[in-house]
């Protein structure tokens, strides 16, 4: 199937690394005009006076083929002269910012202060890096993920990077979400009659997708599209491919299963893509299930999963 | 003469590259406790949302032995990944910021926003880089040098870096100077009864030293010390060693001579250090003159000039 044979548009809902892999798969099998990626900004934070948007940067770098695949964040061939010099000056060095990566944060911060929206800035910076697909923050309003833990309340990056997800999670909250508005371009993308699928990428449901869904109007906008909404499992055989998803689910007393993820999305999704390792569980799901290999190691894996997700969506009934 | 044989304290008044060379000479022949360097901040500017203090950084890097001697600004062994990435993102790339150098600007900006003074920050960052001498901005209040030219009014860095000093200078002004206050630690250093010499380094008198002297109270504080005030010529044989001093003097209809510099400082200085190339002019000077080689190429040159400047000051009459 060549790119042009896939009809319609796709809206991908995405957090960081795991989600970005599938977003890249979609990007490679669709024309750029067919794809909109809606990205979590709950992980955003002010660091060293700079506005850092980790998930947006992961998606942008991944689609621009600038991402470091080994490290899982930041840019390939990165250098660290800034961090070394910062440490010598007594600066905060718990959060690494690469030399080239810094340009993104400096430029974003400058343009935000000049009054541009995160939507405009993200879209423009992505295009300057050669990405023709639309990458959009979920909102231009600040939403900040905080993790309530047995060590107290931690900002997301303090929990995730500073404390390496070690504290026990008691509750996750999204400060600012209740008054945030979806980015108008996200709403426009979801309202486009050409949308053929909304894909919830295999990101952490609680840390990466929930902040997006917490923005008032976002769920309704997703539900009001006539296209099927399909989620891809971030859990394979009771384990997360990467990151703290399994640990967090256990701490929140949620079974570490794909079924629990599908149940979490119940009412929002029309279909769920399950890994073939978990095929035995398929009958228990509250929605239509497609069973395929979901582990994305090679580029071919990314593209194959993207194709099968869209084919699955194509087999689902249009909504009424 | 070993370090300990030189008595008393020295206050050096200093702009960027040329001045920093002599400041380094003084630093090397004095104990750290003997030296205070008062630095021009008229060249400071906000760039990319960062507070950049070019002359402070030149002095700090020079005394910390981190400066690039060939380039004349910034750090040695610098890398430029940030600038390359910034350019790709469409950022302003007319002013180069090295990857390690960026740490200074980010950390300074962050601490200024947190309410610390430039004096405290400069002093602390210098100490973290191993400099035991005191490096002080002339003021904690913003003073901004603007150059009125035949192409209009340009901020100093726009004139100096962006336009490579090409526009014809009509007037130089120091916005904010009239309401700026000298840094309290500068006043304390000048009021110290142990001061044996105030040295005006061979920086550009009009662009680098005048902003310091334009801060109300600074001239009086310099004049009120009992120690001799000695200026070192930035002009040798009718030419500036480096930078636009000669061009600017010509454009301002000032003769490009050491005598014109000495006359510019008349009323402030007790002695003037003239290059031996200009020895023939010595009789014309309005103050005591010492004639020595002033070109600082080697480290030995820097130390030798520092020694002769202090020896000259020692031979001048104490003020009354």
């Amino acid at each position: 199937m060549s790119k042009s044979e896939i009809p319609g548009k796709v809206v991908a809902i995405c957090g960081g690394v795991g989600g970005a892999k599938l977003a890249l798969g979609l990007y490679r099998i669709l024309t750029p005009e067919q794809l909109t990626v809606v990205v979590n900004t709950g992980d955003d934070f002010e660091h060293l006076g700079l506005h850092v948007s980790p998930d947006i940067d992961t998606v942008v770098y991944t689609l621009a083929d600038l991402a470091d695949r080994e490290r899982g964040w930041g840019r390939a061939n990165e250098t660290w002269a800034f961090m070394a010099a910062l440490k010598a000056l007594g600066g905060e060095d718990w959060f690494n910012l690469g030399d080239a990566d810094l340009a993104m944060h400096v430029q974003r911060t400058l343009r935000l202060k000049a009054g541009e929206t995160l939507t405009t800035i993200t879209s423009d910076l992505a295009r300057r890096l050669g990405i023709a697909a639309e990458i959009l923050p979920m909102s231009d309003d600040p939403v900040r993920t905080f993790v309530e833990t047995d060590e107290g309340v931690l900002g997301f990056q303090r929990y995730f990077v500073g404390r390496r997800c070690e504290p026990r999670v008691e509750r996750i909250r999204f400060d600012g979400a209740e008054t945030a508005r979806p980015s108008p371009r996200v709403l426009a993308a979801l309202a486009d009659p050409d949308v053929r699928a909304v894909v919830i990428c295999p990101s952490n449901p609680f840390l990466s997708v929930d902040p997006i869904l917490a923005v008032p109007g976002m769920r309704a906008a997703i539900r009001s599209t006539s296209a099927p909404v399909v989620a891809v499992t971030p859990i394979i055989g009771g384990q997360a491919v990467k990151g703290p998803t399994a640990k967090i689910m256990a701490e929140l007393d949620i079974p570490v299963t794909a079924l629990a993820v599908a149940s979490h999305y119940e009412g929002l999704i029309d279909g769920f893509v399950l890994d073939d390792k978990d095929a035995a569980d398929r009958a228990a799901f509250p929605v239509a299930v497609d069973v395929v290999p979901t582990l994305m190691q090679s580029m071919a894996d990314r593209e194959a999963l993207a194709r099968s997700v869209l084919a699955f969506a194509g087999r689902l009934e249009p909504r009424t």
Side-chain angles (χ1 to χ4, degrees), chain A residues 13 200 209-216 218-219 222 264-265 268:
Chain A
I13 293 183
I200 299 179
V209 179
D210 274 2
I212 303 176
L213 302 178
V215 177
M218 189 68 84
R219 263 176 197 277
I222 294 172
H264 183 71
Y265 291 140
L268 184 74

Side-chain angles (χ1 to χ4, degrees), chain A residues 18 21 202 233-236 239-243 245-246 294-297:
Chain A
K21 284 184 184 177
T233 186
I235 298 288
I236 301 177
Q239 295 193 313
V241 176
K242 195 176 163 78
T245 307
T294 63
L295 190 64
M296 291 175 282
Q297 290 176 311

